[in-house]
Amino acid sequence: MKYFLLFSLWAVTAQAQLSPNGATASFKGSLPPKPVAALSAEQEAGIAKELAAVTQSFKAVKKHPRAADADIFLKAVRYALEFDEWYDKKSEDGVKKAMALLDEAKKRIASLAKNETPWMNGSGQKVLGFYSKIDDSPQPYGVEVPEGLEFGAGKKPVPMWIWLHGRGDTATDLPFVYSRLMAKKTGQFQPAGTIVIHPFGRYCNGWKSAGETDVFECRDDAMKRFNVDTNRVALAGFSMGGAGAWHMGAHYADQWACVHTGAGFADVKRYQKLTPEKYPVWYEQSLWGVYDVPDYARNFFNVPLISYSGEVDAQRDSAEYMMEVLAKQDLHPPHLIGPGMPHKYHPEVIKEVQAWIEKAVASGRVLFPDEVHIQTKTPFYGRMKWLNLHGMEESWKEARLDARVVDGQTIEIKTQNVTRIVFYPPPQARKGGGSLKVMIDGSELKLRVGPLSPQFETFMSPGPKVAGALCRLIKENGVWRDFGNEEPFQHEGPAGGKAGAHPGPMDASFMKRFLVVLPDGKSSSPAVDAWVNAESAHFIQRWKGLMRGEVRVVKASDVGDVYEAGKMQSLILWGTPESNSCLKQIAGSLPLQWNAEKMAMAGQSFDAKTHVPLLTYPCLKSPGFEVVVNTGLTFREAHDKTNSLQNPKLPDWAILEISQQPGAESAGKVVAADFFDDHWQVKKK
């Protein structure tokens, strides 16, 4: 009877978590979903009137350094009105929450006007905000401060946990902020003497794309406010948060004192139970390598890891699979099992998990270990500790970089599918009086090395440049050589190949500051113009609804010189060289021929009146930024049913036939698509 009940519970749990089509039980066909109890016209009008009044008063404090602490409330109510985000059983409760947020906004605005921030004082639950560097949007996060903890300038640095929340289709800004503002209960863990922050993560995207950058931005904001010890920060999460901890733990293993993954998926194919006949097109399979954690397993050599699963939780399979993958690398982290538990923590085992994390945090992050290991499919995720995989022979194929300090003046490096390396020799390897011996793939190099940058120990940024602080190696014709420090890598152009700053695909550009540039004219094709107008508007609204920010938008005529305007950001150019004057400026440097009648790429020709190109490409004339043409995020509404599908769907370039109407899965019919090679050239057939 015991085993029968166990099997029955497993079946019910599995069905509740993931239906046969891969959808979560809470998915109702859109994000954000339709309201549960829609407000009446009078109720909405009342909220809108109050919002307008508070928004007007906010203008007086808009430039205050902590203005985001008030702005998050205004945005939450504004978005709830725009997207009809009312998820309580009674409309009156939605009104109550909106008014509570506006009341809090008024209090904070009054305090900011006096240059005061009383909500920062003392212990307990807090909800704070920051302005994102990506799109300038105010983004919220929650904070738990234990009773009696002293923090801030002049106090002893405190440890911090980052807790990644699980999926909640209705957990948009208003419910998230309200729950943090009015919360009475603490979170899953209450580590002693430790700040716990709860990123919003741009709502419901599996901690990918802008959700990923959101974690780092709120981490950095909290670090400054609470005087956090940068070497005692833990990353943890459960369910979707567990998936985020797997992903961000593997891709950024050097940023954490330890990583805890609770009941989260780790890849696409196994989690979605895909068999070969159900595989997507080849380039989408390659792009699983952006986030699939098994492709980054060796990175867990660089950080302590502990996992948890409920005994009868269907998502236990993901953790078991990762244990198999890690074991093949001779890694054997603890995987604790909650006896009899479905998709939740066991009340006793959670204590073991907490004790383990607290011990790892107390030990702290090792900044300069003797060994560093990197495994990746893209240079975008090529940095770890003092080592940076800066370029690859072929992206989206496995690359490895393993380095170890042999003695006080020798470092041994082994590589696979790597062409460029930047590394900061750690202190224990800088004892050779300014000389360093590097044994790389069996060859010996003699390098000169200077002192470390004074600020490098923070590992947030390398700090001011110090001559000779870093070393750079490049592989040419199968031979490694010292590239020196004087000549810059031409990493944004075809001669230098792809690098971590911009390796593609198109979606990567939406993880940095970007500017949408709309047409300032018309093309020769009304059909193309109609598609451009509809798809650009679709992206702007989708970013707002799913990524919870307002896209920065200008017309091409307002940009001016694209090479000057585009520094340090991505330019998202919509239209054609006829309709967009910015596209016209750079059309000659793009790897396609494109006029009013036809476009040609990769040896193929297409009718320009019924086809549009989508691509990402580095700006060769003014290195440091890239252009993206005719696309926003390439995963669409149909992929929101499960966070495991919210991945890039198109490679570096694609040609769409627009006679097929845009839908929930694609913006048109893909008739050609591929990656550029690692020198930004069109691949030969």
Side-chain angles (χ1 to χ4, degrees):
M1 180 62 71
K2 175 182 178 181
Y3 294 105
F4 173 76
L5 290 174
L6 189 68
F7 176 80
S8 299
L9 181 57
W10 181 89
V12 171
T13 305
Q15 185 177 4
Q17 293 165 213
L18 190 67
S19 62
N21 67 355
T24 58
S26 57
F27 185 69
K28 305 301 181 185
S30 65
L31 289 180
K34 291 178 173 55
V36 173
L39 272 56
S40 68
E42 286 116 344
Q43 287 173 320
E44 288 198 350
I47 295 173
K49 182 179 179 180
E50 181 70 3
L51 173 63
V54 181
T55 300
Q56 181 63 32
S57 67
F58 175 72
K59 292 180 180 179
V61 299
K62 191 173 183 178
K63 294 185 179 180
H64 191 282
R66 293 302 177 199
D69 285 355
D71 207 358
I72 55 174
F73 298 101
L74 304 180
K75 174 198 166 195
V77 176
R78 187 169 66 251
Y79 278 34
L81 285 170
E82 179 173 343
F83 291 101
D84 224 8
E85 297 167 359
W86 310 109
Y87 302 124
D88 294 288
K89 293 182 179 179
K90 297 185 296 182
S91 62
E92 291 78 8
D93 290 336
V95 175
K96 173 186 173 183
K97 290 182 177 180
M99 288 303 189
L101 265 58
L102 293 176
D103 285 344
E104 181 66 17
K106 285 190 287 187
K107 294 176 184 177
R108 294 195 177 191
I109 290 168
S111 294
L112 291 173
K114 296 183 288 185
N115 198 29
E116 297 174 351
T117 55
W119 53 90
M120 281 294 298
N121 299 333
S123 60
Q125 301 273 359
K126 304 178 187 296
V127 58
L128 307 175
F130 63 92
Y131 287 110
S132 175
K133 296 175 183 177
I134 294 179
D135 56 11
D136 296 332
S137 62
Q139 297 296 331
Y141 67 99
V143 184
E144 293 181 60
V145 181
E147 189 70 33
L149 180 67
E150 295 186 348
F151 60 85
K155 305 295 183 180
K156 183 179 178 181
V158 298
M160 182 171 78
W161 288 22
I162 301 174
W163 177 258
L164 307 183
H165 62 74
R167 176 163 179 151
D169 292 6
T170 60
T172 53
D173 289 66
L174 189 146
F176 179 87
V177 172
Y178 183 85
S179 68
R180 295 292 159 194
L181 180 66
M182 304 298 181
K184 301 297 182 182
K185 296 181 180 180
T186 55
Q188 293 270 15
F189 293 92
Q190 297 85 49
T194 301
I195 298 284
V196 179
I197 67 170
H198 299 261
F200 181 45
R202 301 287 184 125
Y203 173 38
C204 189
N205 51 55
W207 306 99
K208 297 178 279 191
S209 190
E212 176 179 320
T213 59
D214 192 77
V215 173
F216 288 112
E217 290 195 273
C218 82
R219 176 201 69 175
D220 295 347
D221 187 72
M223 280 182 167
K224 294 174 183 176
R225 296 196 197 217
F226 297 99
N227 189 24
V228 170
D229 185 337
T230 60
N231 292 323
R232 293 193 292 155
V233 177
L235 178 71
F238 190 83
S239 194
M240 183 183 82
W246 273 121
H247 147 51
M248 297 195 69
H251 291 72
Y252 299 101
D254 63 336
Q255 295 296 300
W256 325 113
C258 68
V259 174
H260 166 52
T261 61
F265 66 85
D267 74 324
V268 177
K269 184 171 66 175
R270 186 179 176 110
Y271 183 67
Q272 285 292 305
K273 302 176 178 62
L274 296 179
T275 50
E277 67 275 9
K278 296 180 181 179
Y279 288 173
V281 66
W282 69 270
Y283 50 76
E284 186 177 338
Q285 293 180 54
S286 295
L287 288 168
W288 290 344
V290 176
Y291 294 117
D292 271 6
V293 181
D295 294 334
Y296 298 80
R298 288 178 61 80
N299 295 341
F300 283 112
F301 275 113
N302 305 294
V303 63
L305 167 70
I306 183 171
S307 292
Y308 167 85
S309 299
E311 182 181 20
V312 293
D313 186 352
Q315 296 195 171
R316 174 180 173 179
D317 178 72
S318 291
E320 298 284 12
Y321 175 49
M322 280 305 305
M323 294 304 123
E324 294 174 11
V325 172
L326 292 166
K328 291 178 181 178
Q329 304 298 334
D330 201 22
L331 275 165
H332 305 278
H335 179 205
L336 304 186
I337 305 298
M341 299 306 293
H343 197 56
K344 60 191 295 187
Y345 281 101
H346 187 281
E348 293 302 318
V349 179
I350 195 173
K351 296 176 184 177
E352 296 182 54
V353 173
Q354 177 166 321
W356 191 97
I357 300 173
E358 287 180 317
K359 183 178 179 180
V361 170
S363 297
R365 178 177 57 162
V366 179
L367 291 178
F368 298 104
D370 285 340
E371 294 189 15
V372 180
H373 304 272
I374 298 175
Q375 182 182 11
T376 186
K377 288 289 186 73
T378 168
F380 192 86
Y381 294 116
R383 179 182 173 186
M384 200 68 63
K385 301 289 187 178
W386 46 267
L387 191 62
N388 188 348
L389 188 159
H390 201 268
M392 296 167 59
E393 294 171 356
E394 186 174 1
S395 295
W396 312 113
K397 303 290 185 183
E398 183 181 30
R400 291 189 182 186
L401 194 53
D402 301 283
R404 70 182 184 96
V405 177
V406 177
D407 55 40
Q409 55 185 344
T410 307
I411 292 177
E412 180 183 69
I413 301 176
K414 295 180 180 179
T415 77
Q416 174 185 316
N417 190 24
V418 179
T419 57
R420 295 192 307 279
I421 302 170
V422 177
F423 65 101
Y424 292 78
Q428 60 266 38
R430 292 175 179 264
K431 301 176 181 179
S435 66
L436 177 70
K437 181 168 71 173
V438 174
M439 305 295 297
I440 181 166
D441 295 338
S443 298
E444 181 177 321
L445 299 176
K446 296 282 189 178
L447 309 180
R448 300 296 301 174
V449 61
L452 277 172
S453 166
Q455 295 182 7
F456 189 72
E457 66 274 7
T458 67
F459 258 77
M460 298 302 119
S461 64
K465 292 183 178 179
V466 175
L470 57 82
C471 298
R472 301 190 299 177
L473 307 178
I474 189 167
K475 188 177 184 181
E476 295 175 323
N477 299 318
V479 179
W480 286 100
R481 70 175 178 87
D482 178 11
F483 197 79
N485 284 302
E486 301 301 322
E487 181 185 355
F489 278 140
Q490 297 300 316
H491 62 272
E492 296 293 354
K498 296 177 178 177
H502 176 57
M506 293 178 255
D507 292 73
S509 294
F510 300 101
M511 294 176 66
K512 62 182 73 172
R513 189 167 180 81
F514 66 90
L515 178 68
V516 169
V517 182
L518 298 178
D520 52 353
K522 294 184 178 181
S523 76
S524 301
S525 171
V528 169
D529 287 346
W531 182 92
V532 166
N533 292 338
E535 274 301 300
S536 58
H538 171 268
F539 166 61
I540 291 169
Q541 189 70 352
R542 177 155 171 78
W543 183 268
K544 192 173 188 179
L546 184 64
M547 295 299 177
R548 314 306 287 181
E550 296 179 38
V551 170
R552 299 164 59 240
V553 181
V554 298
K555 280 200 170 184
S557 55
D558 296 326
V559 173
D561 185 346
V562 66
Y563 299 106
E564 290 299 320
K567 285 185 177 178
M568 303 306 294
Q569 63 181 350
S570 307
L571 288 185
I572 317 303
L573 307 178
W574 289 89
T576 73
E578 285 184 290
S579 64
N580 187 310
S581 56
C582 290
L583 257 175
K584 185 177 181 180
Q585 286 184 52
I586 66 165
S589 64
L590 297 178
L592 79 161
Q593 292 75 50
W594 190 7
N595 58 42
E597 300 301 322
K598 71 174 185 177
M599 65 186 71
M601 191 166 188
Q604 302 177 71
S605 182
F606 308 93
D607 184 349
K609 297 186 184 301
T610 57
H611 295 75
V612 293
L614 284 59
L615 75 154
T616 181
Y617 206 70
C619 187
L620 307 184
K621 183 178 177 181
S622 180
F625 79 100
E626 69 268 7
V627 295
V628 177
V629 178
N630 287 330
T631 188
L633 299 168
T634 62
F635 64 91
R636 294 168 74 92
E637 287 80 359
H639 308 118
D640 295 342
K641 64 185 179 182
T642 164
N643 303 116
S644 63
L645 294 181
Q646 292 175 314
N647 308 311
K649 303 301 177 185
L650 292 173
D652 297 339
W653 66 267
I655 305 295
L656 296 191
E657 182 184 341
I658 59 173
S659 59
Q660 174 181 306
Q661 290 296 311
E665 293 193 357
S666 67
K669 181 180 180 181
V670 180
V671 295
D674 204 345
F675 299 94
F676 294 113
D677 69 17
D678 277 74
H679 296 281
W680 282 108
Q681 301 296 303
V682 176
K683 291 182 179 180
K684 296 179 180 179
K685 294 295 181 182

